[in-house]
Amino acid sequence: MAGANDRHSVRRPSIDDVAKLAGVSRQTVSNVLNGRKDYFSTQTQTRVVAAMEALSYKPNRAAQTLRSRRSMQIGYHMSGEELETVKGFTLSFLQALIKAAARRGYQILVFTHTDEDPLSVFTELTTRGTIDALIISESQVDDPRVRLLARGTLPFVSFGRLAPDLPQQWVDIDNAHGMAMLMDYLVAKAYGRFAYVGAEGDEYWKRERLHGFRRGLDRHGLEVRDEDVFEGSGDAIRDHVRRMLSRRQRPDAIVTSSDSIAAVVVNIGHSLGLRAGRDIAVTGFDGGAMGLITEPTITSVRIPLEKVAGELIDRCQAEIDAGPTGRPGVLVPTEIFQGGSA
């Protein structure tokens, strides 16, 4: 009987409990939850978020919805291709986005399109009122989804840069700078014969990563042979890497444009009796889950997904609260993750 009474006496933590633990007022907690940045400092936000996590506090979405007349949902668009070939990076990003949204009392609603007109789902979303804002990724600079959204009133933000004549509602990373930083790291470890293996395509981030590789070589007075720069996909990458690693005069460091390609290089090297980090250096770009499941783990340019997700949600919140802000896009700095492969 006592056990039953104990169970019934357990209550969910309240906003007052969060305020008490964080040493702030109830209104301050409310301001943090609703993203009213003019009313609290970064230090205060950190204390409130820590208190929420310590207490496992979950905002009352029903009450928030009634008070604000908002759905408390932010949409996130994934293409059909992303759903069919779910990558570790995509899953890590989605997890970071869900956590960042939850801190603001929001849920993430993932949707895709299945028909021949990918824009039809965006037209429907902007008129139904089921979400308060929208986040898109895998964006093109001149993205037709953004052009459609820019004509409406639904707040949105893009993970990826946008054309100058579009609203600069984007968050991105500096791919070229991140890759150049990685080259500094490799040169400091006395690597000198480099090769580059990247994914084919004309997306700006692919061009930037190759540019950063070349820029990093230039500032150290190093060169790379044309035949040691390769962009392709699938079997073409595997065949090229196998030939390169089988040469008598092979590179001592292979820089790749993604952790998934780096994993291919590590595996092919292993099949040839070469261990990454000992016989040859291999690096990636993403710093996500893919690079952690290889042996050794992959040294990589890490995209700080928690910071990216936080910026995306903050920008959504600002537009939900006040309408178009006219703010410029923001670049989030990358980091070097030091694995065992280089």
Side-chain angles (χ1 to χ4, degrees), residues 207-268:
R207 297 194 305 270
E208 286 184 355
R209 292 177 191 183
L210 177 55
H211 175 68
F213 168 75
R214 293 188 182 278
R215 190 173 78 191
L217 289 176
D218 287 344
R219 69 188 184 194
H220 291 285
L222 298 172
E223 296 182 350
V224 62
R225 301 188 308 175
D226 289 342
E227 58 264 37
D228 285 335
V229 175
F230 181 82
E231 293 177 290
S233 63
D235 289 339
I237 286 179
R238 294 185 184 89
D239 292 343
H240 174 79
V241 170
R242 187 172 294 276
R243 289 194 303 270
M244 183 167 54
L245 292 180
S246 299
R247 289 185 344 218
R248 180 173 298 178
Q249 290 294 322
R250 62 174 178 263
D252 59 10
I254 298 179
V255 176
T256 73
S257 66
S258 70
D259 286 358
S260 57
I261 294 178
V264 169
V265 177
V266 169
N267 289 338
I268 291 176

Short mmCIF file of all heavy atoms in Angstrom, two decimals, residues 207-268:
data_model
loop_
_atom_site.label_atom_id
_atom_site.label_comp_id
_atom_site.label_asym_id
_atom_site.label_seq_id
_atom_site.Cartn_x
_atom_site.Cartn_y
_atom_site.Cartn_z
N ARG A 207 32.77 21.83 -53.97
CA ARG A 207 33.81 22.70 -54.55
C ARG A 207 34.64 23.36 -53.45
O ARG A 207 35.87 23.46 -53.57
CB ARG A 207 33.16 23.78 -55.42
CG ARG A 207 32.41 23.25 -56.63
CD ARG A 207 32.11 24.37 -57.63
NE ARG A 207 31.39 25.48 -57.02
CZ ARG A 207 30.07 25.57 -56.95
NH1 ARG A 207 29.31 24.61 -57.44
NH2 ARG A 207 29.49 26.64 -56.39
N GLU A 208 33.97 23.80 -52.39
CA GLU A 208 34.68 24.48 -51.30
C GLU A 208 35.67 23.56 -50.61
O GLU A 208 36.77 23.98 -50.21
CB GLU A 208 33.69 25.04 -50.29
CG GLU A 208 32.95 26.28 -50.77
CD GLU A 208 32.06 26.86 -49.70
OE1 GLU A 208 31.94 26.24 -48.62
OE2 GLU A 208 31.46 27.92 -49.93
N ARG A 209 35.31 22.30 -50.41
CA ARG A 209 36.21 21.38 -49.71
C ARG A 209 37.46 21.11 -50.54
O ARG A 209 38.57 21.05 -49.99
CB ARG A 209 35.46 20.09 -49.35
CG ARG A 209 34.40 20.35 -48.29
CD ARG A 209 33.56 19.13 -47.93
NE ARG A 209 32.41 19.56 -47.12
CZ ARG A 209 31.51 18.76 -46.59
NH1 ARG A 209 31.61 17.44 -46.76
NH2 ARG A 209 30.52 19.24 -45.86
N LEU A 210 37.30 20.96 -51.85
CA LEU A 210 38.48 20.79 -52.71
C LEU A 210 39.31 22.07 -52.72
O LEU A 210 40.55 22.01 -52.66
CB LEU A 210 38.04 20.42 -54.12
CG LEU A 210 39.16 20.28 -55.16
CD1 LEU A 210 40.23 19.29 -54.70
CD2 LEU A 210 38.58 19.87 -56.52
N HIS A 211 38.63 23.22 -52.76
CA HIS A 211 39.36 24.49 -52.74
C HIS A 211 40.15 24.64 -51.44
O HIS A 211 41.32 25.10 -51.45
CB HIS A 211 38.38 25.66 -52.88
CG HIS A 211 39.02 27.00 -52.76
ND1 HIS A 211 39.90 27.51 -53.69
CD2 HIS A 211 38.91 27.96 -51.77
CE1 HIS A 211 40.31 28.71 -53.29
NE2 HIS A 211 39.74 29.00 -52.14
N GLY A 212 39.56 24.26 -50.32
CA GLY A 212 40.25 24.34 -49.04
C GLY A 212 41.47 23.43 -48.99
O GLY A 212 42.50 23.79 -48.42
N PHE A 213 41.35 22.25 -49.61
CA PHE A 213 42.49 21.32 -49.70
C PHE A 213 43.63 21.96 -50.47
O PHE A 213 44.79 21.97 -50.02
CB PHE A 213 42.02 20.03 -50.40
CG PHE A 213 43.12 19.11 -50.82
CD1 PHE A 213 43.80 18.33 -49.88
CD2 PHE A 213 43.48 19.00 -52.17
CE1 PHE A 213 44.81 17.46 -50.28
CE2 PHE A 213 44.49 18.14 -52.56
CZ PHE A 213 45.16 17.37 -51.62
N ARG A 214 43.33 22.54 -51.63
CA ARG A 214 44.37 23.17 -52.45
C ARG A 214 44.95 24.41 -51.75
O ARG A 214 46.17 24.64 -51.80
CB ARG A 214 43.80 23.55 -53.82
CG ARG A 214 43.42 22.36 -54.70
CD ARG A 214 43.06 22.83 -56.09
NE ARG A 214 42.64 21.75 -56.97
CZ ARG A 214 43.47 20.94 -57.62
NH1 ARG A 214 44.78 21.08 -57.48
NH2 ARG A 214 43.01 19.99 -58.42
N ARG A 215 44.09 25.17 -51.11
CA ARG A 215 44.56 26.37 -50.40
C ARG A 215 45.50 26.00 -49.27
O ARG A 215 46.52 26.66 -49.01
CB ARG A 215 43.38 27.17 -49.88
CG ARG A 215 43.75 28.56 -49.35
CD ARG A 215 42.50 29.35 -49.00
NE ARG A 215 41.93 28.91 -47.73
CZ ARG A 215 40.74 29.28 -47.28
NH1 ARG A 215 39.96 30.06 -48.03
NH2 ARG A 215 40.29 28.86 -46.11
N GLY A 216 45.16 24.92 -48.56
CA GLY A 216 46.01 24.46 -47.47
C GLY A 216 47.37 24.04 -47.97
O GLY A 216 48.40 24.29 -47.31
N LEU A 217 47.42 23.36 -49.13
CA LEU A 217 48.70 22.98 -49.71
C LEU A 217 49.51 24.21 -50.10
O LEU A 217 50.72 24.30 -49.82
CB LEU A 217 48.48 22.10 -50.94
CG LEU A 217 47.98 20.67 -50.71
CD1 LEU A 217 47.72 19.99 -52.06
CD2 LEU A 217 48.99 19.85 -49.91
N ASP A 218 48.83 25.17 -50.74
CA ASP A 218 49.52 26.38 -51.23
C ASP A 218 50.23 27.12 -50.11
O ASP A 218 51.36 27.57 -50.26
CB ASP A 218 48.53 27.31 -51.94
CG ASP A 218 48.11 26.78 -53.30
OD1 ASP A 218 48.80 25.87 -53.83
OD2 ASP A 218 47.10 27.26 -53.84
N ARG A 219 49.54 27.27 -48.98
CA ARG A 219 50.16 28.10 -47.94
C ARG A 219 51.31 27.39 -47.22
O ARG A 219 52.03 28.01 -46.46
CB ARG A 219 49.10 28.59 -46.95
CG ARG A 219 48.44 27.62 -46.05
CD ARG A 219 47.32 28.36 -45.33
NE ARG A 219 46.64 27.57 -44.33
CZ ARG A 219 45.49 27.94 -43.80
NH1 ARG A 219 44.91 29.06 -44.18
NH2 ARG A 219 44.91 27.19 -42.87
N HIS A 220 51.50 26.11 -47.53
CA HIS A 220 52.67 25.39 -47.00
C HIS A 220 53.68 25.09 -48.11
O HIS A 220 54.63 24.34 -47.88
CB HIS A 220 52.23 24.10 -46.32
CG HIS A 220 51.47 24.32 -45.05
ND1 HIS A 220 52.08 24.72 -43.88
CD2 HIS A 220 50.14 24.23 -44.78
CE1 HIS A 220 51.17 24.85 -42.93
NE2 HIS A 220 49.98 24.56 -43.44
N GLY A 221 53.45 25.69 -49.30
CA GLY A 221 54.39 25.50 -50.40
C GLY A 221 54.39 24.09 -50.96
O GLY A 221 55.41 23.63 -51.52
N LEU A 222 53.26 23.38 -50.84
CA LEU A 222 53.17 22.00 -51.33
C LEU A 222 52.30 21.93 -52.58
O LEU A 222 51.48 22.81 -52.83
CB LEU A 222 52.57 21.10 -50.24
CG LEU A 222 53.39 21.00 -48.94
CD1 LEU A 222 52.59 20.25 -47.87
CD2 LEU A 222 54.71 20.30 -49.20
N GLU A 223 52.48 20.87 -53.35
CA GLU A 223 51.69 20.65 -54.57
C GLU A 223 51.11 19.25 -54.56
O GLU A 223 51.56 18.38 -53.82
CB GLU A 223 52.58 20.85 -55.81
CG GLU A 223 53.11 22.27 -55.97
CD GLU A 223 53.95 22.41 -57.24
OE1 GLU A 223 54.25 21.37 -57.88
OE2 GLU A 223 54.30 23.55 -57.58
N VAL A 224 50.11 19.05 -55.41
CA VAL A 224 49.52 17.73 -55.59
C VAL A 224 49.44 17.45 -57.08
O VAL A 224 49.12 18.35 -57.87
CB VAL A 224 48.12 17.64 -54.92
CG1 VAL A 224 47.14 18.63 -55.55
CG2 VAL A 224 47.57 16.23 -54.98
N ARG A 225 49.73 16.23 -57.46
CA ARG A 225 49.65 15.86 -58.87
C ARG A 225 48.19 15.76 -59.31
O ARG A 225 47.33 15.39 -58.52
CB ARG A 225 50.36 14.53 -59.12
CG ARG A 225 51.83 14.53 -58.72
CD ARG A 225 52.53 13.25 -59.15
NE ARG A 225 51.82 12.05 -58.69
CZ ARG A 225 52.19 10.81 -59.01
NH1 ARG A 225 53.24 10.62 -59.81
NH2 ARG A 225 51.52 9.77 -58.56
N ASP A 226 47.96 16.09 -60.58
CA ASP A 226 46.58 16.05 -61.09
C ASP A 226 45.95 14.68 -60.90
O ASP A 226 44.76 14.57 -60.57
CB ASP A 226 46.55 16.44 -62.57
CG ASP A 226 46.84 17.91 -62.79
OD1 ASP A 226 46.74 18.68 -61.82
OD2 ASP A 226 47.18 18.29 -63.93
N GLU A 227 46.74 13.62 -61.13
CA GLU A 227 46.19 12.26 -61.02
C GLU A 227 45.88 11.87 -59.57
O GLU A 227 45.24 10.83 -59.33
CB GLU A 227 47.14 11.23 -61.64
CG GLU A 227 48.53 11.20 -61.04
CD GLU A 227 49.51 12.04 -61.83
OE1 GLU A 227 49.12 13.11 -62.34
OE2 GLU A 227 50.68 11.62 -61.93
N ASP A 228 46.34 12.67 -58.62
CA ASP A 228 46.05 12.38 -57.21
C ASP A 228 44.88 13.18 -56.67
O ASP A 228 44.64 13.21 -55.46
CB ASP A 228 47.30 12.64 -56.35
CG ASP A 228 48.35 11.53 -56.52
OD1 ASP A 228 47.96 10.41 -56.89
OD2 ASP A 228 49.54 11.81 -56.31
N VAL A 229 44.14 13.82 -57.56
CA VAL A 229 42.88 14.48 -57.21
C VAL A 229 41.78 13.80 -57.99
O VAL A 229 41.78 13.80 -59.23
CB VAL A 229 42.91 15.99 -57.53
CG1 VAL A 229 41.53 16.60 -57.26
CG2 VAL A 229 43.97 16.69 -56.70
N PHE A 230 40.85 13.17 -57.29
CA PHE A 230 39.80 12.38 -57.95
C PHE A 230 38.46 12.67 -57.32
O PHE A 230 38.32 12.72 -56.10
CB PHE A 230 40.12 10.88 -57.82
CG PHE A 230 39.11 10.00 -58.50
CD1 PHE A 230 39.18 9.75 -59.86
CD2 PHE A 230 38.07 9.42 -57.77
CE1 PHE A 230 38.24 8.94 -60.49
CE2 PHE A 230 37.13 8.61 -58.39
CZ PHE A 230 37.22 8.37 -59.75
N GLU A 231 37.45 12.85 -58.17
CA GLU A 231 36.06 13.00 -57.72
C GLU A 231 35.19 12.01 -58.48
O GLU A 231 35.26 11.92 -59.71
CB GLU A 231 35.57 14.43 -57.95
CG GLU A 231 36.29 15.46 -57.09
CD GLU A 231 35.85 16.87 -57.37
OE1 GLU A 231 36.18 17.39 -58.47
OE2 GLU A 231 35.17 17.47 -56.52
N GLY A 232 34.41 11.26 -57.76
CA GLY A 232 33.58 10.24 -58.40
C GLY A 232 32.53 9.74 -57.43
O GLY A 232 32.15 10.42 -56.48
N SER A 233 32.07 8.51 -57.65
CA SER A 233 31.07 7.90 -56.78
C SER A 233 31.20 6.38 -56.84
O SER A 233 31.79 5.84 -57.78
CB SER A 233 29.65 8.32 -57.19
OG SER A 233 29.36 7.85 -58.49
N GLY A 234 30.67 5.73 -55.82
CA GLY A 234 30.55 4.28 -55.81
C GLY A 234 31.78 3.51 -56.21
O GLY A 234 32.88 3.68 -55.67
N ASP A 235 31.60 2.63 -57.22
CA ASP A 235 32.68 1.74 -57.67
C ASP A 235 33.85 2.52 -58.24
O ASP A 235 35.00 2.07 -58.14
CB ASP A 235 32.15 0.75 -58.71
CG ASP A 235 31.23 -0.29 -58.10
OD1 ASP A 235 31.31 -0.49 -56.87
OD2 ASP A 235 30.43 -0.89 -58.84
N ALA A 236 33.58 3.67 -58.86
CA ALA A 236 34.67 4.47 -59.44
C ALA A 236 35.64 4.91 -58.35
O ALA A 236 36.87 4.89 -58.54
CB ALA A 236 34.11 5.68 -60.18
N ILE A 237 35.10 5.31 -57.19
CA ILE A 237 35.97 5.70 -56.07
C ILE A 237 36.75 4.50 -55.57
O ILE A 237 37.97 4.58 -55.34
CB ILE A 237 35.13 6.32 -54.94
CG1 ILE A 237 34.68 7.74 -55.33
CG2 ILE A 237 35.92 6.36 -53.63
CD1 ILE A 237 33.82 8.43 -54.29
N ARG A 238 36.08 3.37 -55.41
CA ARG A 238 36.77 2.17 -54.90
C ARG A 238 37.90 1.75 -55.84
O ARG A 238 39.00 1.42 -55.39
CB ARG A 238 35.76 1.03 -54.73
CG ARG A 238 34.72 1.28 -53.65
CD ARG A 238 33.82 0.07 -53.45
NE ARG A 238 32.77 0.37 -52.49
CZ ARG A 238 31.59 0.87 -52.81
NH1 ARG A 238 31.30 1.14 -54.08
NH2 ARG A 238 30.69 1.13 -51.88
N ASP A 239 37.63 1.74 -57.13
CA ASP A 239 38.66 1.33 -58.10
C ASP A 239 39.85 2.29 -58.07
O ASP A 239 41.01 1.86 -58.11
CB ASP A 239 38.07 1.29 -59.52
CG ASP A 239 37.05 0.17 -59.69
OD1 ASP A 239 37.02 -0.75 -58.84
OD2 ASP A 239 36.25 0.24 -60.65
N HIS A 240 39.56 3.60 -57.99
CA HIS A 240 40.64 4.58 -57.97
C HIS A 240 41.50 4.43 -56.71
O HIS A 240 42.73 4.45 -56.78
CB HIS A 240 40.07 5.99 -58.04
CG HIS A 240 41.11 7.06 -57.87
ND1 HIS A 240 41.95 7.46 -58.89
CD2 HIS A 240 41.47 7.79 -56.77
CE1 HIS A 240 42.77 8.39 -58.44
NE2 HIS A 240 42.50 8.61 -57.17
N VAL A 241 40.84 4.27 -55.57
CA VAL A 241 41.57 4.15 -54.30
C VAL A 241 42.43 2.88 -54.30
O VAL A 241 43.59 2.91 -53.86
CB VAL A 241 40.60 4.15 -53.11
CG1 VAL A 241 41.31 3.78 -51.81
CG2 VAL A 241 39.94 5.52 -52.97
N ARG A 242 41.89 1.79 -54.80
CA ARG A 242 42.66 0.53 -54.84
C ARG A 242 43.90 0.68 -55.71
O ARG A 242 45.00 0.24 -55.32
CB ARG A 242 41.78 -0.62 -55.34
CG ARG A 242 42.45 -1.99 -55.25
CD ARG A 242 41.46 -3.09 -55.58
NE ARG A 242 40.41 -3.17 -54.58
CZ ARG A 242 40.54 -3.84 -53.43
NH1 ARG A 242 41.68 -4.46 -53.15
NH2 ARG A 242 39.55 -3.89 -52.58
N ARG A 243 43.76 1.32 -56.87
CA ARG A 243 44.92 1.54 -57.74
C ARG A 243 45.94 2.44 -57.06
O ARG A 243 47.15 2.18 -57.12
CB ARG A 243 44.49 2.15 -59.08
CG ARG A 243 43.74 1.20 -60.00
CD ARG A 243 43.65 1.77 -61.41
NE ARG A 243 43.01 3.08 -61.44
CZ ARG A 243 41.70 3.24 -61.58
NH1 ARG A 243 40.89 2.19 -61.71
NH2 ARG A 243 41.18 4.46 -61.62
N MET A 244 45.47 3.48 -56.42
CA MET A 244 46.37 4.45 -55.79
C MET A 244 47.16 3.81 -54.65
O MET A 244 48.37 4.03 -54.51
CB MET A 244 45.56 5.66 -55.30
CG MET A 244 46.39 6.76 -54.68
SD MET A 244 45.43 8.30 -54.48
CE MET A 244 44.02 7.72 -53.54
N LEU A 245 46.46 3.01 -53.84
CA LEU A 245 47.13 2.39 -52.70
C LEU A 245 48.04 1.24 -53.11
O LEU A 245 48.90 0.82 -52.32
CB LEU A 245 46.09 1.89 -51.69
CG LEU A 245 45.29 2.96 -50.95
CD1 LEU A 245 44.30 2.32 -49.99
CD2 LEU A 245 46.20 3.91 -50.20
N SER A 246 47.86 0.73 -54.33
CA SER A 246 48.70 -0.37 -54.81
C SER A 246 49.98 0.12 -55.48
O SER A 246 50.86 -0.67 -55.80
CB SER A 246 47.91 -1.24 -55.80
OG SER A 246 46.76 -1.80 -55.19
N ARG A 247 50.08 1.45 -55.68
CA ARG A 247 51.28 2.00 -56.32
C ARG A 247 52.48 1.90 -55.41
O ARG A 247 52.35 1.97 -54.18
CB ARG A 247 51.06 3.47 -56.69
CG ARG A 247 50.09 3.67 -57.83
CD ARG A 247 49.95 5.11 -58.29
NE ARG A 247 50.44 6.13 -57.39
CZ ARG A 247 49.83 7.30 -57.20
NH1 ARG A 247 48.69 7.56 -57.83
NH2 ARG A 247 50.34 8.20 -56.40
N ARG A 248 53.66 1.80 -56.01
CA ARG A 248 54.89 1.79 -55.22
C ARG A 248 55.09 3.15 -54.55
O ARG A 248 55.49 3.22 -53.39
CB ARG A 248 56.09 1.45 -56.12
CG ARG A 248 57.42 1.42 -55.38
CD ARG A 248 58.54 0.93 -56.28
NE ARG A 248 58.30 -0.44 -56.71
CZ ARG A 248 59.10 -1.11 -57.55
NH1 ARG A 248 60.17 -0.53 -58.06
NH2 ARG A 248 58.82 -2.36 -57.88
N GLN A 249 54.84 4.23 -55.28
CA GLN A 249 54.96 5.58 -54.74
C GLN A 249 53.55 6.12 -54.44
O GLN A 249 53.03 6.96 -55.15
CB GLN A 249 55.69 6.50 -55.74
CG GLN A 249 57.17 6.20 -55.90
CD GLN A 249 57.95 6.49 -54.62
OE1 GLN A 249 57.66 7.45 -53.92
NE2 GLN A 249 58.93 5.64 -54.31
N ARG A 250 52.97 5.60 -53.40
CA ARG A 250 51.63 6.04 -53.04
C ARG A 250 51.71 7.28 -52.14
O ARG A 250 52.76 7.54 -51.51
CB ARG A 250 50.86 4.94 -52.32
CG ARG A 250 51.49 4.51 -51.02
CD ARG A 250 50.61 3.51 -50.28
NE ARG A 250 51.26 3.07 -49.05
CZ ARG A 250 51.96 1.95 -48.93
NH1 ARG A 250 52.10 1.15 -49.98
NH2 ARG A 250 52.52 1.62 -47.77
N PRO A 251 50.62 8.04 -52.02
CA PRO A 251 50.61 9.19 -51.10
C PRO A 251 50.77 8.71 -49.66
O PRO A 251 50.47 7.55 -49.34
CB PRO A 251 49.23 9.82 -51.31
CG PRO A 251 48.70 9.20 -52.57
CD PRO A 251 49.34 7.87 -52.72
N ASP A 252 51.23 9.58 -48.80
CA ASP A 252 51.27 9.21 -47.38
C ASP A 252 50.07 9.75 -46.62
O ASP A 252 49.88 9.44 -45.45
CB ASP A 252 52.58 9.61 -46.71
CG ASP A 252 52.86 11.10 -46.76
OD1 ASP A 252 51.96 11.87 -47.14
OD2 ASP A 252 53.99 11.50 -46.43
N ALA A 253 49.23 10.55 -47.29
CA ALA A 253 47.99 11.05 -46.66
C ALA A 253 46.92 11.21 -47.74
O ALA A 253 47.16 11.85 -48.76
CB ALA A 253 48.23 12.37 -45.96
N ILE A 254 45.76 10.60 -47.49
CA ILE A 254 44.62 10.74 -48.41
C ILE A 254 43.54 11.53 -47.69
O ILE A 254 43.00 11.11 -46.67
CB ILE A 254 44.07 9.37 -48.85
CG1 ILE A 254 45.16 8.59 -49.60
CG2 ILE A 254 42.84 9.55 -49.73
CD1 ILE A 254 44.71 7.21 -50.06
N VAL A 255 43.23 12.70 -48.24
CA VAL A 255 42.21 13.59 -47.70
C VAL A 255 40.93 13.36 -48.48
O VAL A 255 40.95 13.36 -49.71
CB VAL A 255 42.67 15.06 -47.82
CG1 VAL A 255 41.57 16.00 -47.33
CG2 VAL A 255 43.96 15.29 -47.03
N THR A 256 39.81 13.14 -47.80
CA THR A 256 38.54 12.89 -48.49
C THR A 256 37.52 13.96 -48.13
O THR A 256 37.67 14.68 -47.14
CB THR A 256 37.97 11.50 -48.14
OG1 THR A 256 37.46 11.52 -46.81
CG2 THR A 256 39.04 10.42 -48.26
N SER A 257 36.46 14.01 -48.91
CA SER A 257 35.44 15.05 -48.71
C SER A 257 34.34 14.64 -47.75
O SER A 257 33.44 15.44 -47.46
CB SER A 257 34.82 15.44 -50.06
OG SER A 257 34.10 14.34 -50.59
N SER A 258 34.38 13.41 -47.23
CA SER A 258 33.35 12.98 -46.28
C SER A 258 33.85 11.78 -45.49
O SER A 258 34.74 11.05 -45.93
CB SER A 258 32.05 12.60 -47.00
OG SER A 258 32.22 11.40 -47.74
N ASP A 259 33.24 11.56 -44.35
CA ASP A 259 33.61 10.40 -43.53
C ASP A 259 33.26 9.09 -44.24
O ASP A 259 33.95 8.08 -44.05
CB ASP A 259 32.87 10.45 -42.19
CG ASP A 259 33.44 11.50 -41.25
OD1 ASP A 259 34.43 12.15 -41.62
OD2 ASP A 259 32.88 11.67 -40.15
N SER A 260 32.19 9.08 -45.03
CA SER A 260 31.81 7.84 -45.72
C SER A 260 32.86 7.44 -46.74
O SER A 260 33.18 6.25 -46.89
CB SER A 260 30.44 7.99 -46.38
OG SER A 260 30.42 9.08 -47.29
N ILE A 261 33.43 8.42 -47.45
CA ILE A 261 34.50 8.10 -48.41
C ILE A 261 35.76 7.69 -47.64
O ILE A 261 36.47 6.75 -48.03
CB ILE A 261 34.79 9.29 -49.34
CG1 ILE A 261 33.58 9.57 -50.23
CG2 ILE A 261 36.02 9.02 -50.19
CD1 ILE A 261 33.73 10.76 -51.15
N ALA A 262 36.05 8.37 -46.54
CA ALA A 262 37.21 8.00 -45.72
C ALA A 262 37.10 6.56 -45.24
O ALA A 262 38.09 5.82 -45.21
CB ALA A 262 37.35 8.96 -44.54
N ALA A 263 35.89 6.13 -44.87
CA ALA A 263 35.68 4.76 -44.43
C ALA A 263 35.99 3.77 -45.55
O ALA A 263 36.56 2.69 -45.31
CB ALA A 263 34.25 4.57 -43.93
N VAL A 264 35.65 4.12 -46.78
CA VAL A 264 35.97 3.27 -47.93
C VAL A 264 37.48 3.13 -48.07
O VAL A 264 38.01 2.03 -48.28
CB VAL A 264 35.36 3.86 -49.22
CG1 VAL A 264 35.91 3.13 -50.46
CG2 VAL A 264 33.84 3.77 -49.19
N VAL A 265 38.20 4.26 -47.93
CA VAL A 265 39.66 4.24 -48.06
C VAL A 265 40.27 3.37 -46.95
O VAL A 265 41.17 2.56 -47.21
CB VAL A 265 40.24 5.67 -47.99
CG1 VAL A 265 41.76 5.63 -48.04
CG2 VAL A 265 39.69 6.52 -49.14
N VAL A 266 39.78 3.52 -45.71
CA VAL A 266 40.29 2.72 -44.60
C VAL A 266 40.09 1.23 -44.86
O VAL A 266 41.00 0.41 -44.65
CB VAL A 266 39.61 3.14 -43.27
CG1 VAL A 266 39.93 2.14 -42.15
CG2 VAL A 266 40.04 4.54 -42.86
N ASN A 267 38.90 0.86 -45.35
CA ASN A 267 38.59 -0.55 -45.59
C ASN A 267 39.41 -1.14 -46.72
O ASN A 267 39.91 -2.27 -46.62
CB ASN A 267 37.10 -0.72 -45.88
CG ASN A 267 36.23 -0.48 -44.66
OD1 ASN A 267 36.71 -0.60 -43.53
ND2 ASN A 267 34.97 -0.14 -44.87
N ILE A 268 39.58 -0.39 -47.80
CA ILE A 268 40.38 -0.89 -48.92
C ILE A 268 41.85 -1.01 -48.50
O ILE A 268 42.53 -1.98 -48.83
CB ILE A 268 40.23 0.02 -50.16
CG1 ILE A 268 38.81 -0.11 -50.72
CG2 ILE A 268 41.26 -0.34 -51.24
CD1 ILE A 268 38.52 0.82 -51.88
#
